[in-house]
Amino acid sequence: MVTAAAYLSKLNPEQLQAVTYGMAAGKAGRPPGPLLVIAGAGSGKTNTLAHRVAHLIVNGVDPRRILLMTFSRRAAAEMTRRVERISAQALGDKAGILAGGLNWAGTFHGIGARLLRDYAEQIGLDPAFTIHDREDAADQMNLIRHELGFSKTESRFPAKGTCLAIYSRCVNTELPLDKVLADAFPWCAAWANELRKLFAGYVEAKQRQNVLDYDDLLLYWAQMVADPGLAEDIGKRFDHVLVDEYQDTNKLQSTILLALKPNGDGLTVVGDDAQSIYAFRGATVRNILDYPAQFSPAAQIVTLEQNYRSTQPVLAAANAVIGLATERFTKDLWTERLSTERPLLVNVSDDADQASYIINRVLENREAGTLLKQQAVLFRTSSHSGALEIELTRRNIPFVKFGGLKFLDSAHIKDMLALLRWVENPRDRVAGFRVLQLMPGIGPTSAARVLDHVFAATDPIAALPNAPPPPRAGEEWRNFVETVLAIKTGRAGWPAELGLARLWYEPHLDRAHEDALTRRADLLQLEQIAGGYPSRERFLTELTLDPPEVTSDQSGVPLLDEDYLNLSTIHSAKGQEWKSVFVLNVVDGCMPSDLGTGQSHEIEEERRLLYVAITRAKDDLHLMLPQRFFTYGQNALGDRHVYAARTRFIPHEILNLFEAKAWPLAAATTRSAINGQGPRFDVAARMRSMWG
């Protein structure tokens, strides 16, 4: 067997300090006090966290008593695989058995859903609840909005998506409605009383239908641990709680953690305040900034500053940009990757020149051996890449834009999942309305009649055959009832139940969509995905909480053996890295956005966005500075060109860390001619001579 020290041998001193904090070698004692790991960009954060979990297991901690929370199910799965590999170095054959017990690894929402089902009876919740995704939740909000008459007001009432965003912000920030409206939705402030009534109706409707939305998974969990007895019981289930990307948590998530581990014993959080960029989702940088004070003086802070991604000139620029922040944990990223090439500040005249420069440089890089997929173009807002996308398409350069259509947003996938959700929970009216109206001859009125009938029954599915059949549905109705009953019995087993649903749905798919053949491939893909889940309930829960990307849709990622340029918003690029990075519109009005400059904390988040963009680059960084750019209806003047200066986040005092460049070179030649050298020839005279 490899000695226990071998699996720690490649860690740098700071990583080793974080991994071994509070653990005596070879002995699992009382959980240590609270630990905060400030992990700078590219500093091996994931590797460090995985080593800490493995180190706990190697030293005798029961993996079933470790709670690991990440921000995607895929990240949790990858973390678990790393833990198994690291444990194998120290434990040999035993590693798979021990690390395999790490079954409390997942997202906040996923862990919350599991705990709510475990404790459902103690909090008056039916454990068979189903979960609405954002679109379904918005549809539910819209139903209540319509029932209350708010969709027919003289002045326009906020749209369903806006209403849901306001509700979600109130829940996740734990702020009152009036405060949220004043800070984030001032144009809706006049509707405060109506919104309060709408949200009350929305909550009552969800409870009647036994559905929870995303926010409920955290809200119910927080309410559950507000009870001291339940908080103690849940907290005692886990000796160690580890949280990744802590800078992206919201107030509600912080409340949950403090209830589980009020003294911070066994609590480890990892993150980087300089990469806190999700305030629009309710996240707050205060959670990580205030962590030491919450557990003072017990909290231990370990800072990871050695960067394994970028060259030193890139890091020098990043350090300088974030060094001007008003409040932060002090760190100075450094690397052993030396270079003489400073990041470029590329001055261009407009969007068209910006696109041309990037494409020319990208192709030059490819000729020099850098694949397209090793390069990325980042932007503050999705609309900023419009001119570039047009030019890439014109020149037949393959690209993928991240942040587009998701797999579960497709109508045909939502139809299939709605059928399964309704079988799982026939009181879910949003799912019921969607499924019933797939059949010809069934509209809202006849669908409501069926739903009212089953809702009133003790066993809703058993009551379905006796429901008043929609008069125009005919044979379709009988097929539907037979399919629902067959799925509900579970005799076919999982995932064969999904096959029954697909066979019923395919005729409706063919009737509703011209590209039915392409969409059928997605349905088969959905069945393959279903095979990775043990039951219908787990499939519906986890797929809703952590959906896959597009599969067969044209906007999906190309095959792995194809080459393509990456286009991405900065938000979607977090956690990624590329050899060469181009950042669009690094000018005031875009960065910071003219929509995000109201308050100082908003300005600081915009600064962190630029920092995140810079630190995605490994070797080659180009910050684009168009003298003018096109805006898309962000103000009363509509679409227009505006002029802007270099972003305020790169002031004169740090310009020496960048290299300025003007493009195209022809512009410089023209300027020199205008400044006294005279034209090379008189084109006007030539035109006149053609007819003389």
Side-chain angles (χ1 to χ4, degrees):
M1 182 188 299
V2 181
T3 61
Y7 70 97
L8 304 176
S9 61
K10 294 184 179 180
L11 300 175
N12 67 40
E14 292 74 25
Q15 291 173 334
L16 184 63
Q17 182 185 0
V19 167
T20 59
Y21 167 70
M23 292 295 296
K27 182 179 179 182
R30 178 177 177 271
L35 172 64
L36 169 61
V37 181
I38 300 296
S43 62
K45 168 182 65 68
T46 302
N47 188 47
T48 301
L49 186 56
H51 272 83
R52 177 157 178 79
V53 175
H55 188 64
L56 292 172
I57 295 172
V58 168
N59 283 274
V61 175
D62 186 344
R64 294 169 298 183
R65 297 185 60 80
I66 296 175
L67 173 59
L68 172 63
M69 287 188 284
T70 66
F71 274 77
S72 75
R73 192 169 58 86
R74 289 180 293 277
E78 171 60 24
M79 190 76 72
T80 301
R81 286 192 291 269
R82 287 198 188 200
V83 170
E84 290 176 351
R85 289 197 299 269
I86 297 165
S87 301
Q89 289 186 268
L91 298 174
D93 294 338
K94 295 180 182 178
I97 299 173
L98 292 178
L102 190 66
N103 54 12
W104 283 97
T107 65
F108 264 95
H109 293 83
I111 297 295
R114 290 178 62 184
L115 289 172
L116 289 176
R117 294 193 197 279
D118 285 352
Y119 289 86
E121 294 181 359
Q122 297 189 49
I123 60 175
L125 182 65
D126 184 343
F129 63 81
T130 49
I131 302 169
H132 277 181
D133 63 16
R134 290 295 183 193
E135 185 174 335
D136 292 327
D139 289 342
Q140 180 69 74
M141 185 76 75
N142 202 40
L143 287 174
I144 307 303
R145 179 174 172 266
H146 183 71
E147 289 174 5
L148 293 174
F150 296 157
S151 58
K152 298 179 180 179
T153 54
E154 281 190 28
S155 56
R156 190 178 176 213
F157 192 76
K160 64 179 182 180
T162 303
C163 293
L164 183 63
I166 296 170
Y167 171 84
S168 183
R169 182 68 69 95
C170 291
V171 169
N172 287 292
T173 60
E174 297 187 323
L175 292 174
L177 175 60
D178 291 339
K179 174 68 173 172
V180 168
L181 290 175
D183 290 350
F185 302 90
W187 60 93
C188 301
W191 297 103
N193 292 333
E194 290 82 357
L195 286 168
R196 195 170 280 108
K197 187 176 180 180
L198 172 63
F199 297 159
Y202 174 64
V203 170
E204 290 174 5
K206 288 187 296 179
Q207 292 177 354
R208 285 196 308 270
Q209 299 171 34
N210 195 33
V211 299
L212 275 63
D213 62 22
Y214 281 156
D215 301 320
D216 288 331
L217 297 173
L218 298 182
L219 183 59
Y220 276 58
W221 187 4
Q223 292 295 320
M224 184 166 64
V225 295
D227 177 84
L230 285 176
E232 183 179 8
D233 186 60
I234 298 172
K236 284 183 176 179
R237 295 178 68 164
F238 308 108
D239 294 327
H240 292 268
V241 177
L242 303 97
V243 183
D244 193 14
E245 303 285 7
Y246 192 59
Q247 79 280 350
D248 294 331
T249 54
N250 58 42
K251 188 67 172 64
L252 201 55
Q253 290 163 322
S254 174
T255 298
I256 291 169
L257 289 178
L258 292 176
L260 293 179
K261 297 295 177 185
N263 298 320
D265 290 344
L267 180 59
T268 297
V269 301
V270 182
D272 182 6
D273 55 297
Q275 297 186 68
S276 178
I277 59 173
Y278 293 113
F280 67 94
R281 295 181 185 169
T284 172
V285 71
R286 298 299 339 160
N287 283 352
I288 194 167
L289 290 176
D290 296 342
Y291 186 88
Q294 288 174 327
F295 297 109
S296 179
Q300 173 76 24
I301 303 176
V302 177
T303 304
L304 308 183
E305 296 181 307
Q306 183 174 359
N307 178 285
Y308 296 91
R309 174 188 300 155
S310 307
T311 63
Q312 188 59 46
V314 170
L315 295 182
N319 288 333
V321 167
I322 203 63
L324 299 174
T326 57
E327 185 179 11
R328 68 187 186 101
F329 286 109
T330 302
K331 60 180 175 297
D332 190 22
L333 296 181
W334 63 276
T335 183
E336 296 177 347
R337 298 192 64 231
L338 303 180
S339 172
T340 59
E341 295 186 12
R342 292 175 293 170
L344 288 173
L345 293 176
V346 184
N347 291 278
V348 294
S349 60
D350 53 25
D351 291 347
D353 277 356
Q354 181 172 239
S356 295
Y357 171 84
I358 290 172
I359 290 174
N360 287 352
R361 188 58 185 260
V362 163
L363 295 178
E364 288 175 9
N365 290 343
R366 188 178 63 170
E367 290 297 318
T370 301
L371 297 174
L372 293 178
K373 65 175 66 175
Q374 294 176 313
Q375 306 180 65
V377 182
L378 308 182
F379 30 87
R380 172 64 180 83
T381 302
S382 183
S383 61
H384 289 174
S385 64
L388 177 62
E389 291 179 52
I390 292 171
E391 188 64 12
L392 287 169
T393 301
R394 188 183 71 82
R395 296 177 66 168
N396 293 320
I397 299 173
F399 67 92
V400 172
K401 185 174 181 180
F402 292 93
L405 182 67
K406 303 296 184 190
F407 186 60
L408 295 192
D409 291 336
S410 305
H412 53 299
I413 298 297
K414 291 188 72 67
D415 290 343
M416 282 281 288
L417 294 180
L419 174 57
L420 294 175
R421 277 216 332 265
W422 193 68
V423 173
E424 186 76 11
N425 175 19
R427 290 185 169 84
D428 184 341
R429 289 183 76 86
V430 170
F433 266 114
R434 185 178 190 111
V435 171
L436 290 172
Q437 293 183 87
L438 290 172
M439 292 178 278
I442 299 183
T445 302
S446 51
R449 193 177 300 119
V450 172
L451 294 175
D452 290 342
H453 174 84
V454 300
F455 189 87
T458 304
D459 186 343
I461 294 297
L464 183 61
N466 300 319
R472 294 164 50 200
E475 186 69 14
E476 295 288 353
W477 174 251
R478 188 174 67 83
N479 292 339
F480 172 71
V481 172
E482 290 176 353
T483 299
V484 168
L485 293 176
I487 295 173
K488 184 62 176 179
T489 63
R491 282 195 292 267
W494 183 259
E497 298 164 17
L498 186 55
L500 295 176
R502 176 176 57 81
L503 291 175
W504 172 82
Y505 175 65
E506 282 182 340
H508 306 292
L509 175 72
D510 294 340
R511 186 182 66 254
H513 298 284
E514 292 182 359
D515 58 344
L517 186 62
T518 299
R519 294 175 186 260
R520 278 177 181 247
D522 278 350
L523 300 184
L524 294 174
Q525 175 75 12
L526 190 65
E527 284 192 59
Q528 292 179 351
I529 293 171
Y533 297 84
S535 67
R536 183 173 66 236
E537 176 267 309
R538 286 285 295 276
F539 171 74
L540 290 172
T541 296
E542 296 189 24
L543 195 69
T544 303
L545 295 178
D546 191 29
E549 301 292 332
V550 170
T551 54
S552 65
D553 193 281
Q554 291 182 351
S555 64
V557 177
L559 298 175
L560 294 178
D561 61 349
E562 294 181 357
D563 197 14
Y564 52 86
L565 179 65
N566 299 281
L567 273 58
S568 176
T569 63
I570 299 172
H571 286 101
S572 296
K574 190 169 173 291
Q576 303 296 315
E577 61 181 43
W578 294 276
K579 187 173 181 180
S580 184
V581 170
F582 303 81
V583 186
L584 300 184
N585 298 337
V586 187
V587 293
D588 268 2
C590 286
M591 199 173 298
S593 166
D594 55 6
L595 299 179
T597 55
Q599 301 181 45
S600 60
H601 67 86
E602 294 173 327
I603 292 288
E604 290 305 309
E605 177 149 328
E606 294 287 318
R607 185 193 310 278
R608 295 192 293 268
L609 264 174
L610 178 58
Y611 174 82
V612 168
I614 291 173
T615 53
R616 299 313 94 197
K618 297 168 68 175
D619 300 332
D620 196 21
L621 176 64
H622 305 251
L623 304 181
M624 307 301 299
L625 308 178
Q627 294 177 9
R628 63 177 188 158
F629 58 90
F630 199 70
T631 63
Y632 296 85
Q634 293 182 355
N635 49 62
L637 297 178
D639 298 350
R640 64 191 182 106
H641 278 94
V642 295
Y643 291 85
R646 182 183 70 246
T647 176
R648 70 191 72 176
F649 301 139
I650 305 179
H652 180 76
E653 55 265 31
I654 67 172
L655 275 180
N656 63 305
L657 300 173
F658 301 84
E659 179 181 341
K661 178 177 182 177
W663 195 90
L665 295 177
T669 303
T670 301
R671 283 192 294 271
S672 65
I674 294 175
N675 290 334
Q677 296 181 9
R680 296 181 63 173
F681 59 84
D682 188 345
V683 69
R686 290 191 179 185
M687 296 301 103
R688 291 192 301 272
S689 67
M690 291 174 61
W691 311 102

